[in-house]
Amino acid sequence: MTQPTMRQVAERAGVSIALVSLVMREAPNVSDYRRQLVVDAAAELGYRPNVLARNLASRRTNTIGVVLNDLHNPFFAEIIDGLQNAADAAGHQVLIGNGRHSKAGESEMLETFLQFRVDGLVLVGSTASLSTIEAAAQITPLVAVGRTTRSKKFDTVNTDDKLGARLAVEHLLALGHSRIAHIDGGSGAGARARREGYAASMTTVGMADHISVARGDFSEIGGYKAARELLSRRQVPTAIFVANDLSAVGALDRAEEAGFCVPTDMSIVGYDNTSLAATHHLSLTTINQPREELGRLAFQSLLERLKSGRTAAVHRVVAPSLVKRRTSGPVHSREQAR
Amino acid sequence: MTQPTMRQVAERAGVSIALVSLVMREAPNVSDYRRQLVVDAAAELGYRPNVLARNLASRRTNTIGVVLNDLHNPFFAEIIDGLQNAADAAGHQVLIGNGRHSKAGESEMLETFLQFRVDGLVLVGSTASLSTIEAAAQITPLVAVGRTTRSKKFDTVNTDDKLGARLAVEHLLALGHSRIAHIDGGSGAGARARREGYAASMTTVGMADHISVARGDFSEIGGYKAARELLSRRQVPTAIFVANDLSAVGALDRAEEAGFCVPTDMSIVGYDNTSLAATHHLSLTTINQPREELGRLAFQSLLERLKSGRTAAVHRVVAPSLVKRRTSGPVHSREQAR
DNA sequence: CGGCGAGATTAGAGCGCTCTAATATCTACT
DNA sequence: AGTAGATATTAGAGCGCTCTAATCTCGCCG
């Protein structure tokens, strides 16, 4: 159970420890002859470099830590996919830590990664306080994904949520809707920008008096409850723009339960374009966030700090797009007639 | 950007490095007076222990590695939840690596964790070869979740999938169905046991000639295609037991598309009881796997090997249960009459 | 044939910590 | 006061690797 070390490999190969080190790091200027000796000896012994020792000595870990808060949300999984592809290509390892929806859990995870001396840190959908994040950013390059807070200490990567909201509203307007309501994401990441985007778009087209927002929390049940409230208001909307897909599912539920036929009587548009929205069964019209790209850009930001030593914060924004599916349609004539 | 070390803390506090080490490890037999000196000095310097050095010196990492293959499947996320709760309670860190559906990716992740000298390894839904896993298990305690292969080298934690399949079949039988088909999970983890459980249950009740299996792959699209095939067979089933929830959604899609009304004309039962199945909108009847417990037991297995030095393999099995929802119902009279 | 320089190899000093063994300090008793 | 027996503290030798600087090799040139 005790693993062989370089020393043993060196002895077996009849060379110095330093040479073994060079071979392990695939350094140039090692003769093929000795390289082979070392490779063989290592194979025979089942030698495996000790990353701890290597990192300690080299003061680099070649590893970046990702702090996540919701393993259940496919949205995050796809960000990681993009991140990991980019990291792989650059020869970096990715380790994931679960903050588990709590600020305490998140900063604990942050601390763990700092203790591991990771080369960089990515926070996805973080709700940690600005000061916590800035403190960590002081120590190691850091980028936050999906956090609109601008800071000079760390980078961010975001979708233009205001634009996303506008796309949703304009889509519904084009279908003839005017009583367009919004179920928001409460204090969650990106909720505010989407809410503001919705309100701004409505105002722009002179429908400020149709603005109607119900509070949600990005969860399915939250969407359900918010929809229940909306549908019992005096002015029943003909369309609802919901702040994320999960909530949209809840809203859809409630609408159908209340006897509305979607999309005939009621159009619903979600946000994120998670795999959930794409299921045929749901086929939810939604706003796509380019998740893989978010992940890719996050890594790129880190790499820039790592390689070129950039220290000035960079804030990247990517564009969302509309994905039309089956939950949105032209406003019903009967409704229009009213 | 360069972090303070114990040496500096020791100097500032006017004590030895060893004493700082003791304080950091919360050792007993340190006077309150000096402890305070050290704690203060550390705080002033913003000292943070270097886990790499600590682990190198102590030959323990206090960290367990989890190799996952599908970040998108909520099923796995919940296993991690259970695992992490248990690990937390025992003061262990959990780091997650993504094998990304490929054997290569998986063994690369395995290698990474081994290089990190993690204290233990958990494989979730692994498809790596037995020899790969056994090789890793040779080096560090290892437990596989959802892998039915028995090995003397590592522990496993599983749901009793045969029983799960039986529960599904018996539920459908009780509703009056006889033409019960199965969409399997191909070569995925647990697929075989579910398939066999289905066949066995059908045989037991004398319906061996109604056995009808279509090949799936645990994906939504796989379920869709398999259902299309099943519904075009001469003997159209009145119920389908699908090997997991995701595929069940695909099957449901196809059934509705083909004009079947669920559950009036067609009952569908899934497997896993993921959050997907629980959405009101789907409300899928399914077989529950106690995911948190799977995670908890996995950690427990590891802990036993770590603490009590157990080396004999232990294979734990937990019981699944039926969750009735809206996609299963009594067989339609018209169907019965045929 | 001595000398030069590029390439190949190695010695050895850390990296920041833990841990054993030794030493110092402090009771409590005789 | 002297001492056994804790209890506190520390020196110093690693842990397994990297990296700089020094040394060794050898083909090649004048």
Side-chain angles (χ1 to χ4, degrees):
Chain A
M1 215 76 164
T2 175
Q3 299 205 38
T5 71
M6 270 195 179
R7 178 187 184 68
Q8 301 171 48
V9 176
E11 276 169 9
R12 182 168 194 124
V15 301
S16 69
I17 294 180
L19 210 248
V20 176
S21 174
L22 289 175
V23 172
M24 288 305 150
R25 283 177 283 152
E26 305 189 348
N29 295 353
V30 172
S31 65
D32 286 347
Y33 173 64
R34 310 242 174 170
R35 180 186 304 280
Q36 200 54 50
L37 282 181
V38 171
V39 169
D40 291 348
E44 284 163 25
L45 258 41
Y47 171 74
R48 195 181 318 269
N50 183 327
V51 172
L52 299 174
R54 182 206 292 262
N55 293 347
L56 178 60
S58 68
R59 268 139 293 187
R60 257 181 290 102
T61 60
N62 224 44
T63 299
I64 71 170
V66 180
V67 178
L68 223 63
N69 265 308
D70 192 353
L71 275 178
H72 300 78
N73 195 333
F75 177 66
F76 296 119
E78 289 167 39
I79 290 179
I80 305 282
D81 282 347
L83 184 72
Q84 205 152 26
N85 287 336
D88 269 12
H92 281 255
Q93 281 295 336
V94 174
L95 251 27
I96 302 165
N98 189 358
R100 300 193 275 164
H101 309 277
S102 88
K103 290 201 182 200
E106 202 175 318
S107 50
E108 194 182 309
M109 216 53 238
L110 225 57
E111 182 65 22
T112 298
F113 279 132
L114 287 178
Q115 289 184 5
F116 262 101
R117 301 298 195 266
V118 290
D119 290 345
L121 231 26
V122 178
L123 306 193
V124 183
S126 167
T127 56
S129 74
L130 189 64
S131 62
T132 303
I133 301 183
E134 288 191 334
Q138 212 72 4
I139 310 209
T140 194
L142 188 152
V143 43
V145 179
R147 210 176 206 275
T148 39
T149 337
R150 293 296 198 256
S151 161
K152 286 180 182 157
K153 307 262 178 72
F154 59 89
D155 301 339
T156 60
V157 179
N158 278 97
T159 302
D160 184 343
D161 284 330
K162 277 201 180 168
L163 173 57
R166 204 181 81 205
L167 291 177
V169 172
E170 286 178 351
H171 168 61
L172 291 168
L173 287 170
L175 288 170
H177 295 274
S178 56
R179 296 205 299 282
I180 303 170
H182 177 55
I183 293 176
D184 78 0
S187 56
R192 186 169 155 188
R194 292 170 206 180
R195 185 170 52 236
E196 290 176 357
Y198 156 77
S201 303
M202 292 293 278
T203 305
T204 302
V205 295
M207 297 203 177
D209 49 339
H210 280 319
I211 289 176
S212 169
V213 177
R215 188 171 176 88
D217 57 3
F218 280 151
S219 77
E220 191 198 352
I221 185 73
Y224 179 90
K225 288 180 182 165
R228 187 170 55 195
E229 190 219 315
L230 276 181
L231 299 181
S232 67
R233 286 189 184 170
R234 200 158 36 84
Q235 271 276 41
V236 175
T238 62
I240 308 179
F241 163 47
V242 193
N244 79 343
D245 289 348
L246 204 55
S247 298
V249 173
L252 189 58
D253 261 359
R254 179 56 201 166
E256 289 181 339
E257 220 174 270
F260 290 83
C261 183
V262 175
T264 322
D265 308 330
M266 176 71 61
S267 284
I268 292 185
V269 177
Y271 205 102
D272 282 353
N273 190 27
T274 53
S275 52
L276 190 65
T279 59
H280 295 210
H281 189 254
L282 264 179
S283 194
L284 182 72
T285 294
T286 188
I287 302 297
N288 180 62
Q289 291 205 55
R291 290 143 294 180
E292 300 232 351
E293 191 174 358
L294 288 173
R296 205 176 50 69
L297 289 175
F299 182 75
Q300 187 183 316
S301 283
L302 236 39
L303 208 59
E304 285 169 10
R305 283 180 180 258
L306 252 33
K307 297 278 175 188
S308 42
R310 166 164 74 69
T311 58
V314 166
H315 302 283
R316 293 190 154 88
V317 176
V318 299
S321 59
L322 175 74
V323 180
K324 289 183 213 166
R325 292 211 184 86
R326 291 203 312 253
T327 57
S328 61
V331 69
H332 193 279
S333 53
R334 187 188 46 159
E335 296 285 336
Q336 264 177 323
R338 272 195 205 167
Chain B
M1 214 75 165
T2 176
Q3 300 204 38
T5 70
M6 269 194 179
R7 177 187 184 69
Q8 301 172 46
V9 175
E11 277 169 8
R12 183 169 194 122
V15 299
S16 70
I17 294 180
L19 211 246
V20 177
S21 174
L22 288 176
V23 171
M24 289 305 150
R25 283 177 284 152
E26 305 190 347
N29 296 352
V30 173
S31 65
D32 287 347
Y33 172 64
R34 311 244 172 166
R35 179 188 305 280
Q36 200 54 50
L37 281 181
V38 171
V39 169
D40 291 347
E44 285 163 23
L45 258 40
Y47 171 75
R48 195 183 316 271
N50 183 327
V51 171
L52 299 175
R54 182 206 293 263
N55 293 346
L56 178 59
S58 67
R59 268 137 296 184
R60 257 182 290 103
T61 59
N62 224 42
T63 298
I64 70 169
V66 179
V67 178
L68 223 64
N69 265 307
D70 193 354
L71 276 177
H72 300 78
N73 195 333
F75 176 65
F76 296 118
E78 288 166 39
I79 290 180
I80 304 283
D81 283 346
L83 184 72
Q84 205 151 25
N85 287 336
D88 270 12
H92 281 255
Q93 282 296 335
V94 174
L95 250 27
I96 302 167
N98 189 357
R100 299 193 276 164
H101 309 278
S102 86
K103 292 200 181 201
E106 201 174 319
S107 50
E108 195 181 307
M109 217 52 240
L110 223 57
E111 182 65 21
T112 298
F113 279 133
L114 287 178
Q115 290 184 5
F116 262 101
R117 300 298 194 267
V118 291
D119 289 345
L121 231 27
V122 178
L123 306 192
V124 183
S126 166
T127 57
S129 73
L130 188 64
S131 61
T132 303
I133 301 183
E134 288 191 333
Q138 212 71 3
I139 306 200
T140 194
L142 188 152
V143 44
V145 179
R147 208 175 208 275
T148 39
T149 337
R150 295 295 197 256
S151 161
K152 286 180 182 158
K153 308 262 177 73
F154 59 89
D155 300 340
T156 61
V157 179
N158 279 97
T159 302
D160 185 344
D161 284 330
K162 278 201 177 166
L163 173 57
R166 204 181 82 205
L167 291 176
V169 172
E170 285 178 351
H171 168 61
L172 291 169
L173 287 171
L175 288 170
H177 295 274
S178 57
R179 295 205 300 281
I180 303 169
H182 177 55
I183 293 176
D184 78 359
S187 55
R192 187 170 154 187
R194 294 171 205 180
R195 186 170 52 235
E196 290 176 356
Y198 157 77
S201 303
M202 290 295 277
T203 306
T204 302
V205 295
M207 297 202 177
D209 48 339
H210 281 318
I211 290 176
S212 169
V213 178
R215 188 173 178 88
D217 58 4
F218 279 152
S219 77
E220 191 198 354
I221 185 72
Y224 180 89
K225 287 180 182 167
R228 186 169 55 194
E229 192 219 314
L230 277 181
L231 300 182
S232 67
R233 287 190 183 170
R234 199 158 36 85
Q235 270 277 38
V236 175
T238 62
I240 308 180
F241 163 48
V242 193
N244 79 343
D245 288 348
L246 203 56
S247 298
V249 173
L252 189 58
D253 260 357
R254 178 56 201 168
E256 289 181 339
E257 220 174 271
F260 289 84
C261 183
V262 175
T264 323
D265 308 330
M266 175 73 60
S267 286
I268 293 185
V269 177
Y271 204 102
D272 283 352
N273 190 27
T274 54
S275 51
L276 189 65
T279 59
H280 294 209
H281 189 254
L282 264 179
S283 195
L284 182 71
T285 294
T286 189
I287 302 298
N288 180 63
Q289 291 204 56
R291 289 143 296 181
E292 301 233 350
E293 191 175 357
L294 287 173
R296 205 177 48 69
L297 289 176
F299 182 74
Q300 187 183 316
S301 282
L302 236 39
L303 207 58
E304 285 170 10
R305 283 181 179 257
L306 252 34
K307 297 280 175 186
S308 41
R310 167 164 73 71
T311 57
V314 166
H315 302 284
R316 294 189 154 87
V317 176
V318 300
S321 59
L322 176 73
V323 180
K324 289 183 213 167
R325 292 209 183 88
R326 290 204 312 253
T327 57
S328 61
V331 68
H332 193 280
S333 52
R334 185 186 48 156
E335 296 286 334
Q336 263 177 323
R338 273 195 201 164

